[in-house]
Amino acid sequence: MPRQVDHDERRRRLTEALLRIAGTRGLQAVSMREIAAEAGVSLRVVQYYFTNKQALLESGLLELGARGRRRVRQRVADAADTLSTRGVLAAVLGAIVPFDEQSRLDSMAWTAYYTAALTDPALAAAGLTLPNALEDFLTVRLTAAQQAGDIAPDRDPRAEVAGLLALANGLTSSVLSGQRSYEAATKLIDYYLDRLFGPDRAPRSQANEIGAGADAAASRGASPRRSARDRH
Amino acid sequence: MPRQVDHDERRRRLTEALLRIAGTRGLQAVSMREIAAEAGVSLRVVQYYFTNKQALLESGLLELGARGRRRVRQRVADAADTLSTRGVLAAVLGAIVPFDEQSRLDSMAWTAYYTAALTDPALAAAGLTLPNALEDFLTVRLTAAQQAGDIAPDRDPRAEVAGLLALANGLTSSVLSGQRSYEAATKLIDYYLDRLFGPDRAPRSQANEIGAGADAAASRGASPRRSARDRH
DNA sequence: CTCGTTAGGATACAACTGTATCCATTCGGG
DNA sequence: CCCGAATGGATACAGTTGTATCCTAACGAG
């Protein structure tokens, strides 16, 4: 074997180049030649390590899913109060909304893939199944919390989890478009968690600091375009 | 003037053809020639009535916004109990989530436009400002309801509205991808409205008499009923 | 009638796409 | 030593894209 090369490493580099393009210029800007240029290799190399553009796109989607799972796991592990159900929920939801430049790029790419999958069955088959496992996991967790008396008995754990995940999804959209900052999004999540767990039960944040005020159009659209770049 | 033709009508037909393609096959499938074929005219006609593809896309975005506004207005007008704030909220949120084939196609096209606008400033400038006016309107409305005692005083009207709109947005995503049915989405919305207005809370003001008193047990089964997936 | 503007058919063109092919290296095992 | 597989550079090809150009009808105003 001459010039033995680590194929997995090459493929990983190309996949990363693809995701960099998809996250900054969109999926429609992704072409074989663009990927080659972004990765600093020739077109032939891209063709050599991926038989198809389709295979390349699937690899990108897979990597994106892996990154998302890694991010959620990391966030949950980082939360010191992992024992509290509320802490887990806050960590998971906070990991869904883009919170730094990298997660913002990945969210962009994910959105692009999601949209493409809506009209491309081949992509849809390649899997956008990230949320389902999360939903089940959190529902079990919240149900246990309810039996422990942490949330009111008239709450529906499954509905609450589904709603919170959909909320995080919607907030992601607004953060990506610059309508909302990441901080505003997490404040909103905290507000809803306060409603769920009771504000006095959780020492994390106050109930009404978002502006319980009267008039509507006071302060919105705080940060236009690229705003979500901060550490956490 | 020979062969006088209604330009607005021609442009409308072409815009509708564009949106039909965008809603079924995605924005990346929209080309000048495809639009021409879909509208049953020649390529030249498309070029004749729209100087640019850019102009065509902007026209589609404008029309999409107009349809959305029309749909919300229609839904709100249709709600018999328009006087109740809860009824207005339910109508607006129910009009955001796609509820029939046409609104589903439009939501698809809207999602495609939204994604494209994330990486194309020209499209972003052409306006995705539909939600802002809604948010202000509903916030004013909900603030008034709070002062009338329809919702608990520790609720933050602005946060509630922002959350509900983000929720509707997230639910739209899941409905489009087939993860959830429209009915499941509205049940979830009703569940959250129950939490907000209080299912057993008696109407304490003159502003509302019907609608706000939806009882709790009615929608306790708001579980989204998704297939449980195994995790490993 | 004729003439100039309006409405569109037919075609061209350069750029870009994914994919395929041809060919030159490189190097480990025989 | 050397042969064949591994690696990749260069280029070709057919299709699609947005846009531009050329040219022919149509028809109301003069």
Side-chain angles (χ1 to χ4, degrees), chain B residues 162-221:
Chain B
L164 285 172
L165 286 175
L167 174 72
N169 229 328
L171 290 178
T172 295
S173 289
S174 63
V175 169
L176 284 185
S177 66
Q179 279 179 6
R180 218 186 303 264
S181 70
Y182 170 67
E183 290 75 23
T186 50
K187 272 187 185 168
L188 212 46
I189 289 174
D190 276 342
Y191 173 83
Y192 270 89
L193 289 180
D194 281 346
R195 298 302 122 190
L196 176 55
F197 286 89
D200 48 344
R201 176 177 292 269
R204 290 197 284 169
S205 81
Q206 75 287 358
N208 71 327
E209 53 281 72
I210 351 170
D215 66 309
S219 56
R220 86 268 162 251

Side-chain angles (χ1 to χ4, degrees), chain A residues 167-183:
Chain A
L167 175 71
N169 229 328
L171 290 178
T172 295
S173 289
S174 62
V175 169
L176 284 185
S177 67
Q179 279 180 4
R180 219 185 302 264
S181 70
Y182 169 67
E183 290 75 19

Side-chain angles (χ1 to χ4, degrees), chain B residues 45-229:
Chain B
V45 172
V46 183
Q47 285 187 282
Y48 190 76
Y49 289 98
F50 288 94
T51 59
N52 261 345
K53 187 185 184 183
Q54 180 66 25
L56 202 26
L57 288 178
E58 286 176 9
S59 169
L61 185 48
L62 236 63
E63 167 67 12
L64 221 44
R67 289 186 189 178
R69 280 186 293 275
R70 198 180 316 144
R71 223 172 331 248
V72 168
R73 218 180 307 124
Q74 176 75 25
R75 275 292 191 106
V76 171
D78 278 0
D81 53 350
T82 308
L83 294 180
S84 92
T85 297
R86 186 197 160 119
V88 170
L89 268 171
V92 168
L93 298 174
I96 291 178
V97 181
F99 54 90
D100 63 3
E101 188 56 21
Q102 186 56 52
S103 64
R104 192 180 153 275
L105 288 180
D106 286 354
S107 266
M108 285 273 210
W110 183 266
T111 300
Y113 266 108
Y114 166 80
T115 303
L118 285 181
T119 51
D120 180 3
L123 266 185
L128 285 297
T129 55
L130 181 130
N132 284 1
L134 255 187
E135 185 163 339
D136 293 345
F137 167 68
L138 292 180
T139 300
V140 167
R141 186 90 204 209
L142 193 56
T143 301
Q146 187 177 43
Q147 282 162 356
D150 289 339
I151 71 172
D154 67 329
R155 297 281 182 153
D156 180 342
R158 194 200 307 280
E160 294 288 342
V161 167
L164 285 172
L165 286 175
L167 174 72
N169 229 328
L171 290 178
T172 295
S173 289
S174 63
V175 169
L176 284 185
S177 66
Q179 279 179 6
R180 218 186 303 264
S181 70
Y182 170 67
E183 290 75 23
T186 50
K187 272 187 185 168
L188 212 46
I189 289 174
D190 276 342
Y191 173 83
Y192 270 89
L193 289 180
D194 281 346
R195 298 302 122 190
L196 176 55
F197 286 89
D200 48 344
R201 176 177 292 269
R204 290 197 284 169
S205 81
Q206 75 287 358
N208 71 327
E209 53 281 72
I210 351 170
D215 66 309
S219 56
R220 86 268 162 251
S223 52
R225 285 270 357 102
R226 256 294 86 188
S227 65
R229 298 184 76 87

Side-chain angles (χ1 to χ4, degrees), chain A residues 28 36 38-39 46 67 104 122 132 143 161 172 185-186 188 197 207 225 230:
Chain A
Q28 90 290 346
E38 175 73 28
V46 182
R67 289 186 190 179
R104 189 181 156 274
N132 283 1
T143 302
V161 167
T172 295
T186 50
L188 212 45
F197 286 89
R225 281 261 65 143
D230 68 300

Side-chain angles (χ1 to χ4, degrees), chain A residues 1-5 7 10 42 44 48-49:
Chain A
M1 311 291 186
R3 182 62 95 84
Q4 262 303 27
V5 164
H7 279 218
R10 277 276 202 278
S42 76
R44 185 64 230 275
Y48 190 77
Y49 290 98

Side-chain angles (χ1 to χ4, degrees), chain A residues 133-158:
Chain A
L134 255 186
E135 184 163 340
D136 292 344
F137 167 68
L138 292 179
T139 300
V140 167
R141 186 90 205 211
L142 193 57
T143 302
Q146 186 176 45
Q147 282 161 357
D150 289 339
I151 70 171
D154 66 330
R155 296 282 183 153
D156 180 342
R158 195 199 306 279

